[in-house]
Amino acid sequence: MKVNYQERIDLTADELKIILSEQRTQPNKQKIQALYWLKTGASQSLTDVAERLGVHRITVHRWLKQYIAGGLSELLEIRQATGRPRVIPSAVIAGISEKLSEESCDFKTYKEIGQWVEENYQVSVKYQTLHKQVHYRMKANLKEPKPVSNEKAQEVGSEFKKNSKTLLKND
């Protein structure tokens, strides 16, 4: 069964050409290009359009359905992916950040931070999740480094505290 896509597209080829030149995002350019090829007859099938654009034919079919259902505004609407919400609530993240910025903060391990979060916010967070949040996203370092040996532990720890306090004062 041959489907005439030219009749389904309300815009003229010249209007589509102008709209195509105004598009700034690649997905929108592809969508308008598909409509243009179907309207002008440069491509007779959705499969041909899909091959020329480098997308799946179902994608082109979905674009055409969006256009028929809601017009050009529906087709060109850029939707934001919602994604999965973070495990650690934003209030807890703000509390951790505030606690780490305090000078009296004495967290030595991520487990201590986890215990503090559980005590103050009644939220249980996995070690790995907490480590990723504090170390990579917040770019925070704990106050004391792990000791190299028992003999150097006290010396390195005290030097580290002195240096970190002078660095904080200089910032």
Side-chain angles (χ1 to χ4, degrees), residues 117-130:
V117 167
E118 200 162 335
E119 290 170 8
N120 292 308
Y121 294 97
Q122 290 73 41
V123 176
S124 179
V125 182
K126 290 182 184 177
Y127 177 89
Q128 182 180 7
T129 307
L130 189 64

Side-chain angles (χ1 to χ4, degrees), residues 2-13:
K2 191 78 169 166
V3 179
N4 189 357
Y5 294 107
Q6 294 173 345
E7 294 173 2
R8 294 181 173 198
I9 300 171
D10 301 336
L11 301 169
T12 65

